[in-house]
Amino acid sequence: MKTFYIAITGIFCLAMTGCKSNSEKMSQDLAVAQTEPVEIKRPNIIYIMADDLTTQAISAYGGIYKDIAPTPNIDRLANEGMIFQDAICTNAICGPSRAAILTGNYSNRNGYYKNESGGKFDETQWTFPQEFQDAGYQTSLFGKWHLGTEPQGFDTFKYHNSAGQQGHYWDPLYNMNGTDTKTEGYSTNLSTDFAMQWLQEERKQDDPFLMVLQYKAPHRPWQPDEKYEDLWEDIEMPYPSTFNDDYDGRELTAGDTEMTMEHFSRRDMKFEEPENLKGKEKIQWAFYGAKNDEIVQPEGMSDEEGRKWRYQTYIKDYLACVKSVDDNIGRVLNYLDENNLADNTIIVLTSDQGFYLGEHGFFDKRFIYEESVRMPFIMKYPGYAKPGSVSNDVVANIDFAPTLLDVAGIETDQPMHGKSFKTLLRGETPDDWQQATYYHYYEWPYWHHVQPHYGIRTQKFTLAHFYYNIDVWELYDLEKDPEQMNNIIDDPAYADTVTRLKSELKDLMAKYENDRTLEDFREITDKDFGSIVDIKDSETSVQDVLTGDN
C-alpha cells in the first residue's frame, strides 16, 4: 500500500505547478526515513555462544578455511547484521570469560579468576539475565554453563552436568531444572532440541524472551557428529602461515607451553581405547600425549609426518564440530522466519574467547595473542544495525551485559566495568570511546603451562607482561606484524610507544580496580579456590595424573 500511495502521489504532482521540488523533497525524506534506526520495543533476544569457537573457523571472517569449511548460517547473521573485528576477551579461558560476560565485570570484581582450582561462581551476585527476568522477560538457558553453581535469573535451564560441567559430546548428562538426566544423542543437536521445544511449546507466545543457547562444541576433545566424521577425509587442510613458528625472541613465553602440535593426547587423536580400563589407568591411557616427550602418532611416521598428521586430525575434527554448530544455528533462524519472529528478535553469535587452529603451532587459548584474545561477535538487530556492516572499534566481553540490557531498553543502576556499545551498531563511534582493553590471565601451570600475564590490547599494539616466575615484557605492532612473530619491546624506535602504553595500562588497571602488586597476583594464581564440582566423577583426577601428584 505504501508503494501504491507514493506512485499515485507522484503522478498527481506531475500535473501541478512546482511538483518537481515537492517530489524531490519526498524522495529525500523517504531516503532519510529508510536509514533512520528503528528501535524495537522489548525485543526478543537470542544469545548464542559456542565454546572455543574462533574467528578463523567462521567464513564471514575470512581465512584459510572459508571455502573448504564455510559457515553459511553464521555468515547469514553477519550479512543481516554487524560483524565485530575487535571483540576482545579480558581473560581468555572458559569459566572466567563466562563470569565476565554475565556480570559485566573483570575477574577481580566477580571473583572468578581461573578454571582449575578456581572454585565456583558466586551465584549471589548480580547477572544480566536476572535483570531481564525482573523486567518481565521469559528467560531460558540451554547447553553449557560451566560455573559450578546453579544458574540464576532463568525460568528454565538444561545444562551440561558431567566432566566437571564440561559435558560430553555423546549421550550427555544434563541438569534439567535441578534434576540430572542422561539424554541419548549428540550434544549440539540436543541443546538445540531443548531450545526449539521451549520456543515452540513452553514459552508464552506473546511475551518477550531472552534465550541463552550455549554449545559445548567445538571444545576439546572435538568429537564430530557421526555424519561429519569423514567429511574431509580425502583432502589435506591448509596450514597456517605461522605453523612452524620457532618462538625466536619469545622462548620463555610462547616457546614454553604444553599446547603445541606435540601435546595432543590419544583421546584427542581418536585412538581406540583398550577394553576394561578403569579409574586412574583409564585416564593415564586416554591423556597420554599431553605431557612433554609423550608423542602420539601412528608407527612408522617421521617427526614431521607425525606433526602434520596430528594437525590434520585435529583441524578436521574441530571444523566438523563447527559445522554442526552452524547447522543448528540454521534451525533457530528457520524457526524465527517461519513464525514471523525474525523482525523483532535480536541475535548474538559469539564464543567465550578465541582459539588456536595451528597458528604458532598451537591449539587452545589463554594468551593475549590475537588468535585467542579475539572473540567472534556478530549481532543482528533488525532495523537498527545496518545489514552487512563491520565494526573495527574495540569492545570487550565485559561490554556484552550492558549492551544487551541497553538494546532491550532495560535500565539498571547495577555497577559494571563494561559499557554499552549500542551506538556502535549504527556505525557511530563516540569521541570518548575507549579503543583499548585491559587483559589478565592468572592460571598456572595446569592446563597447558601458559605463564600468567597481563597487558593492554589497542587497535594498533599489544603490550604484555609475563610475571609469575619470569619477568618478561612483549610488544607487538599489529599493523606491521599482525601475526605477532617479532617482539619489539627492546627496539629503540618504539621506546616512546612502550612508555605510553605502560602508562595507559597502569591507568586501566586502576580504572578496573586491579592495580595490585605482582605478589598479590601470584597469590591468586597459587590459591586453591576449590573445585567447580562437589562430586568427583571420571574426569576429576585428570589433574593429579598429569601433574604427577598421584
Side-chain angles (χ1 to χ4, degrees):
M1 290 298 294
K2 182 183 292 184
T3 304
F4 178 76
Y5 172 79
I6 293 169
I8 294 297
T9 303
I11 293 170
F12 180 73
C13 281
L14 288 174
M16 299 177 62
T17 305
C19 169
K20 183 176 181 181
S21 60
N22 290 335
S23 180
E24 287 177 348
K25 185 177 186 303
M26 180 182 295
S27 297
Q28 292 170 357
D29 290 345
L30 284 169
V32 170
Q34 290 172 352
T35 60
E36 284 296 311
V38 178
E39 296 193 34
I40 306 171
K41 292 183 178 180
R42 293 176 69 76
N44 305 313
I45 295 179
I46 298 179
Y47 176 89
I48 304 172
M49 185 161 72
D51 197 322
D52 290 344
L53 178 64
T54 190
T55 58
Q56 307 96 279
I58 297 173
S59 44
Y61 278 95
I64 62 176
Y65 312 110
K66 65 181 179 64
D67 296 323
I68 302 171
T71 51
N73 294 298
I74 297 176
D75 292 1
R76 177 186 165 188
L77 288 176
N79 292 334
E80 296 177 356
M82 174 174 278
I83 187 169
F84 286 75
Q85 295 288 351
D86 257 354
I88 306 299
C89 184
T90 54
N91 183 356
I93 187 69
C94 179
S97 179
R98 291 166 189 267
I101 290 168
L102 285 168
T103 64
N105 290 318
Y106 274 90
S107 300
N108 54 286
R109 182 184 282 179
N110 68 50
Y112 209 71
Y113 294 95
K114 306 178 291 184
N115 265 8
E116 293 301 326
S117 302
K120 298 178 175 67
F121 177 72
D122 177 8
E123 80 279 17
T124 65
Q125 65 184 309
W126 177 95
T127 58
F128 80 82
Q130 297 175 56
E131 200 78 62
F132 273 86
Q133 193 177 52
D134 290 344
Y137 269 70
Q138 303 171 88
T139 57
S140 61
L141 164 70
F142 306 105
K144 185 170 179 179
W145 180 241
H146 197 239
L147 288 168
T149 49
E150 187 170 289
Q152 302 297 309
F154 296 100
D155 303 330
T156 187
F157 56 77
K158 297 178 181 179
Y159 66 84
H160 286 287
N161 203 28
S162 60
Q165 291 195 352
Q166 289 286 359
H168 289 94
Y169 275 97
W170 288 101
D171 301 336
L173 185 74
Y174 284 89
N175 181 318
M176 299 187 178
N177 299 314
T179 301
D180 284 345
T181 305
K182 188 171 183 179
T183 309
E184 291 186 3
Y186 186 65
S187 65
T188 307
N189 302 331
L190 290 171
S191 293
T192 311
D193 289 346
F194 298 147
M196 296 298 290
Q197 181 180 357
W198 184 78
L199 286 171
Q200 293 168 342
E201 302 173 13
E202 298 175 10
R203 68 180 177 91
K204 296 177 182 178
Q205 297 298 308
D206 295 328
D207 292 346
F209 63 84
L210 165 71
M211 186 177 81
V212 177
L213 176 56
Q214 301 188 150
Y215 294 112
K216 170 186 172 58
H219 191 280
R220 193 180 190 184
W222 315 295
Q223 294 176 346
D225 195 348
E226 289 177 346
K227 63 182 178 181
Y228 292 140
E229 284 180 350
D230 300 318
L231 187 59
W232 296 290
E233 186 69 20
D234 298 328
I235 69 170
E236 183 177 26
M237 287 289 187
Y239 297 88
S241 58
T242 59
F243 183 69
N244 293 313
D245 190 350
D246 62 4
Y247 314 117
D248 181 40
R250 295 156 291 135
E251 292 83 359
L252 297 178
T253 55
D256 186 23
T257 73
E258 294 174 359
M259 48 186 269
T260 70
M261 296 296 105
E262 285 67 51
H263 292 99
F264 288 117
S265 70
R266 286 173 175 145
R267 186 181 71 162
D268 296 332
M269 295 292 100
K270 312 304 185 290
F271 274 47
E272 186 175 352
E273 182 180 300
E275 295 181 3
N276 301 319
L277 293 181
K278 296 181 180 180
K280 180 180 177 182
E281 186 181 30
K282 181 182 178 76
I283 292 171
Q284 286 177 322
W285 185 92
F287 285 87
Y288 179 87
K291 293 182 180 180
N292 291 323
D293 303 319
E294 294 181 347
I295 303 298
V296 173
Q297 64 188 46
E299 293 183 9
M301 283 187 177
S302 67
D303 290 348
E304 183 62 19
E305 289 170 338
R307 189 167 186 266
K308 289 184 175 181
W309 173 82
R310 287 187 294 275
Y311 166 76
Q312 291 294 328
T313 302
Y314 160 57
I315 194 62
K316 291 174 182 178
D317 286 347
Y318 177 97
L319 292 174
C321 291
V322 172
K323 181 158 182 59
S324 288
V325 170
D326 188 74
D327 288 350
N328 279 278
I329 290 173
R331 293 174 61 192
V332 176
L333 298 183
N334 289 340
Y335 172 82
L336 297 177
D337 288 339
E338 294 164 2
N339 291 273
N340 298 315
L341 292 170
D343 290 339
N344 67 331
T345 302
I346 294 171
I347 307 173
V348 170
L349 182 282
T350 188
S351 178
D352 43 357
Q353 72 279 306
F355 209 73
Y356 292 100
L357 302 184
E359 298 87 3
H360 303 286
F362 289 154
F363 66 96
D364 209 67
K365 53 262 184 178
R366 302 169 194 270
F367 277 111
I368 195 174
Y369 306 144
E370 288 296 279
E371 292 83 2
S372 59
V373 80
R374 284 181 65 233
M375 312 168 70
F377 192 90
I378 299 170
M379 181 181 281
K380 177 188 175 183
Y381 185 167
Y384 194 85
K386 183 180 178 181
S389 56
V390 178
S391 173
N392 292 306
D393 292 303
V394 175
V395 299
N397 59 348
I398 57 170
D399 300 324
F400 294 0
T403 301
L404 291 172
L405 291 169
D406 196 5
V407 298
I410 299 174
E411 296 183 0
T412 180
D413 56 3
Q414 176 66 31
M416 286 181 274
H417 285 143
K419 183 178 180 181
S420 172
F421 52 82
K422 179 181 175 181
T423 58
L424 303 185
L425 292 166
R426 289 298 302 167
E428 300 169 0
T429 306
D431 293 338
D432 61 349
W433 188 256
Q434 180 179 291
Q435 300 286 7
T437 298
Y438 165 56
Y439 180 86
H440 204 139
Y441 172 79
Y442 300 86
E443 196 167 300
W444 169 267
Y446 180 83
W447 291 62
H448 299 305
H449 201 266
V450 172
Q451 185 75 209
H453 57 289
Y454 61 88
I456 182 173
R457 163 58 160 76
T458 71
Q459 289 178 307
K460 186 174 180 180
F461 294 103
T462 296
L463 176 75
H465 183 208
F466 297 81
Y467 63 81
Y468 182 75
N469 57 14
I470 59 177
D471 183 13
V472 174
W473 285 86
E474 294 182 352
L475 175 67
Y476 299 95
D477 186 327
L478 301 178
E479 291 181 352
K480 296 180 180 179
D481 179 28
E483 295 179 334
Q484 296 174 300
M485 297 288 284
N486 302 302
N487 177 17
I488 52 175
I489 193 68
D490 294 323
D491 187 334
Y494 288 89
D496 290 343
T497 299
V498 171
T499 300
R500 174 176 57 80
L501 288 174
K502 284 186 176 180
S503 177
E504 291 181 17
L505 174 58
K506 183 178 179 181
D507 290 343
L508 288 180
M509 294 174 78
K511 174 180 178 178
Y512 298 124
E513 309 159 293
N514 207 30
D515 50 345
R516 292 183 275 182
T517 66
L518 293 180
E519 189 55 38
D520 289 335
F521 294 147
R522 294 186 186 107
E523 286 181 6
I524 292 169
T525 296
D526 292 337
K527 183 175 179 179
D528 185 353
F529 291 87
S531 174
I532 192 172
V533 292
D534 295 324
I535 301 173
K536 290 193 173 185
D537 57 26
S538 60
E539 296 283 335
T540 304
S541 61
V542 173
Q543 179 175 2
D544 294 335
V545 170
L546 293 187
T547 57
D549 293 340
N550 151 13

